[in-house]
Amino acid sequence: MFVDRERELRILHSAYKALKEGHKVNIAVIGPRRVGKTELLLKFKEEADGVIPYINLQRIGSVDSFIFAYTRELLYELSRVKKHNVERIHLLNWDDLLILAAKLGVDEEVKAIKNGTLETLFEAQERILEKLGEKAIFILDEFQEVKNLSRFLEVMRAITEKEKRVAYFISGSAVGMMEEILSPEKPFFGQFRRIYLPGLPKEDTFELARSILNKADVTYSNSALEAVYRLTGGHPFYVHAVCRRIVEEGFERVGKKEVEYTFLTELLTETGEIYMHLDYVFNESLSRAYKGAVHREILLILAKGEGLRLSELAKQLGKPSGEVSNYLKFLLRTDLIVKENGRYYFADKLMRFWLAKTYLGITELELRRERLREELIKELEEKFLKAKTELGLTGEAWVRERLGMALGLEFKPYRRGDVEFDGVAFGDMPHVLEVKWKSRPASYKDVKDFAEKVRGEFGNARMFFFSKAGFTEKALQLCQELGVKPLTKDELR
């Protein structure tokens, strides 16, 4: 299910063009499950039509199986480009690969890979590509799974850094683990440009919903489209699930109330695709937990009332803080929860609502009661969707990601002593970002204080001020005088 991601596709194609011109760019695509990462990468692969092997690492159980799968996909893509008539389904073992390698004239390199190590694989692929006069983009999907392969990151980083003919597009749904892999203390720090894939903006959400409903000749109001966007947050999988159920329910015309009913049915009943998706994510995330029952209990407590401190959770569980701290460290790695200012929150507010309500056993029959639906929607919008934003991909992080994509830079939170900035990127000079995610417009004083703080810390710098609610007239005048670029949501979409 590919939906329009024009900006992201441009970045991928630009990286491929740079590789062909001798400038290697690796890219990491990061975002929650089912938001469209794989579809984006496969759309690029389809459009680029070059040597672009693809592997989903969830299907790889060991280093040996990775080496075989990697070699198989590389040789298959090369044979396709070189017009050899080979089907992937016939490449079942090393003998099959060696026969294909002989046709391509790289049998010695593939023999070395077969009898070698992970280091041999990465070293030999460069020789193979050079011998055949090709360059490749290798797509490694669900890249966080390499943490289960011994020494993988260290080996890949040490050898691939020197490669000139292959670049990597990696993706991952475990946002926390991907951030850890790319963090300063890890081998891949600074090696990948990051693309964060949040939900679709409003207009793209409307377009996706229209395309599904129009095909089924369903008439809809603008308030229906607004409700789809508001409740799904633009998540393409959720939008598709809601609109498809609208069609299946047989509605000929839908408004706000029909969308709300359909959304709740999808979310809270076991036949709903959104229900099944959240159930899978929840249970799969906990499947590796030794103390699964305790982890589940912590999540149920947070579902009822998040924003608790460690001491408050320990008290409710009746366990020592040190023990509960270890449980929370595991949950933070699953991306089910996040920690901000010493308090714990659900990363996905829809997950929190689903967990709180499904354990109450709400049935599809009960959802036919309009009064109950109204109460649930009101609670969802006021207590859950207005809370902390999903996976940090909106708010400050959303602005950092969007501005970074526009400028080709990577903005990160900055702190030195008592000085803090919402985002700083270092290019030819420091680029400094201020974010005001409030309901009131930014004032003259807001802009003045920001500019003074920037000059005190960096001297000469490019300054950007984002305000969710816009700017006062005096604030805009001061921005022009001080060289501060004012930004709003519409400019960054």
Side-chain angles (χ1 to χ4, degrees):
M1 180 185 61
F2 179 76
V3 293
D4 189 17
R5 298 278 192 181
E6 289 185 7
R7 182 188 296 228
E8 292 82 0
L9 269 175
R10 281 199 303 271
I11 294 173
L12 298 182
H13 282 291
S14 175
Y16 192 23
K17 183 173 183 285
L19 177 67
K20 291 177 178 178
E21 295 172 351
H23 307 289
K24 178 175 175 175
V25 180
N26 299 317
I27 291 179
V29 181
I30 303 172
R33 288 177 174 88
R34 305 302 294 269
V35 80
K37 299 181 300 301
T38 299
E39 289 80 5
L40 171 67
L41 292 168
L42 293 179
K43 182 68 173 178
F44 159 76
K45 175 177 166 63
E46 175 189 331
E47 291 182 354
D49 194 30
V51 181
I52 307 174
Y54 169 90
I55 294 179
N56 186 324
L57 292 172
Q58 283 185 320
R59 302 167 187 166
I60 305 297
S62 67
V63 170
D64 288 342
S65 62
F66 172 82
I67 292 172
F68 175 80
Y70 192 103
T71 308
R72 177 191 188 213
E73 293 307 312
L74 177 62
L75 293 179
Y76 173 76
E77 288 294 319
L78 285 166
S79 69
R80 186 181 58 79
V81 168
K82 296 300 183 183
K83 308 300 182 184
H84 288 281
N85 187 21
V86 177
E87 294 186 26
R88 184 188 283 107
I89 195 172
H90 294 148
L91 301 176
L92 301 176
N93 52 48
W94 280 109
D95 288 340
D96 296 332
L97 296 190
L98 287 168
I99 292 171
L100 177 56
K103 292 180 181 178
L104 292 167
V106 294
D107 46 323
E108 291 302 318
E109 288 80 4
V110 174
K111 285 177 184 176
I113 293 172
K114 177 179 181 292
N115 299 316
T117 63
L118 197 59
E119 287 93 336
T120 312
L121 168 67
F122 290 127
E123 289 170 348
Q125 74 168 343
E126 184 81 354
R127 296 198 301 273
I128 290 171
L129 290 167
E130 184 175 7
K131 184 176 284 190
L132 296 178
E134 298 291 343
K135 293 186 177 181
I137 295 286
F138 217 115
I139 299 174
L140 299 174
D141 208 352
E142 297 299 345
F143 190 73
Q144 71 274 354
E145 297 297 325
V146 302
K147 290 178 71 68
N148 299 321
L149 303 179
S150 176
R151 294 183 60 247
F152 185 96
L153 294 174
E154 292 81 0
V155 171
M156 183 177 175
R157 166 70 168 83
I159 297 175
T160 59
E161 181 184 22
K162 306 168 188 174
E163 294 174 332
K164 305 298 183 185
R165 292 184 167 272
V166 60
Y168 296 91
F169 291 174
I170 64 176
S171 79
S173 299
V175 177
M177 291 177 70
M178 288 295 292
E179 292 286 6
E180 182 184 345
I181 288 170
L182 302 174
S183 65
E185 62 273 15
K186 299 298 182 181
F188 277 141
F189 176 66
Q191 298 300 307
F192 285 81
R193 179 177 179 184
R194 304 178 202 189
I195 297 177
Y196 291 94
L197 217 58
L200 300 170
K202 181 185 286 189
E203 285 307 314
D204 288 351
T205 301
F206 282 15
E207 185 178 344
L208 175 59
R210 288 191 194 104
S211 68
I212 299 168
L213 298 177
N214 286 342
K215 286 179 183 177
D217 294 324
V218 176
T219 305
Y220 47 84
S221 64
N222 191 66
S223 64
L225 297 177
E226 291 281 355
V228 170
Y229 176 68
R230 188 178 71 254
L231 295 171
T232 65
H235 192 302
F237 176 74
Y238 298 165
V239 174
H240 199 274
V242 169
C243 291
R244 186 160 55 198
R245 183 171 282 266
I246 286 172
V247 173
E248 292 171 354
E249 289 282 342
F251 292 120
E252 295 181 357
R253 178 176 178 79
V254 293
K256 175 174 173 287
K257 288 187 179 298
E258 287 79 15
V259 170
E260 290 173 349
Y261 164 73
T262 304
F263 176 78
L264 289 172
T265 304
E266 270 293 309
L267 178 64
L268 300 179
T269 63
E270 294 184 3
T271 60
E273 288 189 39
I274 298 177
Y275 179 105
M276 289 187 280
H277 167 68
L278 293 175
D279 186 62
Y280 168 78
V281 171
F282 179 73
N283 288 295
E284 193 271 338
S285 297
L286 292 182
S287 63
R288 299 173 188 171
Y290 176 65
K291 298 287 186 180
V294 179
H295 291 112
R296 184 175 273 102
E297 190 175 354
I298 290 172
L299 292 170
L300 285 170
I301 292 171
L302 289 175
K304 295 173 185 175
E306 62 178 1
L308 299 179
R309 295 187 181 276
L310 171 61
S311 58
E312 295 168 326
L313 282 165
K315 184 177 179 180
Q316 291 199 41
L317 288 165
K319 296 182 181 296
S321 293
E323 182 181 343
V324 176
S325 176
N326 289 329
Y327 299 146
L328 289 166
K329 287 177 183 176
F330 169 82
L331 288 173
L332 287 168
R333 293 186 71 242
T334 67
D335 286 321
L336 290 173
I337 64 171
V338 294
K339 182 181 180 182
E340 295 183 16
N341 300 319
R343 297 181 181 274
Y344 295 89
Y345 302 87
F346 267 83
D348 183 344
K349 301 309 155 187
L350 209 55
M351 170 70 78
R352 181 192 166 199
F353 184 80
W354 171 82
L355 189 60
K357 298 306 173 187
T358 53
Y359 272 77
L360 297 176
I362 295 174
T363 67
E364 190 167 353
L365 182 61
E366 290 175 303
L367 285 177
R368 296 188 182 278
R369 291 168 40 210
E370 186 173 342
R371 181 70 178 272
L372 175 61
R373 297 201 302 272
E374 289 174 351
E375 291 174 356
L376 288 170
I377 290 292
K378 183 178 180 182
E379 184 181 6
L380 174 63
E381 293 181 338
E382 293 184 358
K383 287 181 60 178
F384 293 82
L385 297 184
K386 286 185 179 179
K388 296 287 180 177
T389 53
E390 181 180 357
L391 290 176
L393 295 180
T394 52
E396 291 178 11
W398 182 86
V399 177
R400 283 194 295 267
E401 186 262 336
R402 286 291 174 176
L403 182 60
M405 288 173 64
L407 299 179
L409 297 170
E410 184 174 358
F411 283 85
K412 293 184 178 181
Y414 177 94
R415 181 171 184 175
R416 188 182 68 83
D418 295 331
V419 179
E420 293 186 43
F421 292 104
D422 296 322
V424 174
F426 294 96
D428 52 344
M429 67 171 63
H431 293 60
V432 188
L433 169 66
E434 176 78 357
V435 178
K436 291 292 183 188
W437 202 267
K438 296 182 178 179
S439 57
R440 66 171 181 82
S443 67
Y444 179 98
K445 185 177 184 301
D446 292 331
V447 176
K448 181 174 179 289
D449 290 347
F450 168 61
E452 289 178 352
K453 188 167 70 166
V454 171
R455 287 170 179 169
E457 180 70 6
F458 297 109
N460 190 26
R462 292 189 66 189
M463 297 178 286
F464 302 85
F465 197 119
F466 174 92
S467 175
K468 179 184 175 185
F471 298 80
T472 65
E473 187 175 339
K474 288 185 177 180
L476 287 173
Q477 291 174 352
L478 186 61
C479 282
Q480 187 172 6
E481 292 171 13
L482 299 179
V484 176
K485 171 66 175 174
L487 298 169
T488 62
K489 243 183 166 181
D490 289 340
E491 294 173 280
L492 291 180
R493 287 201 184 279

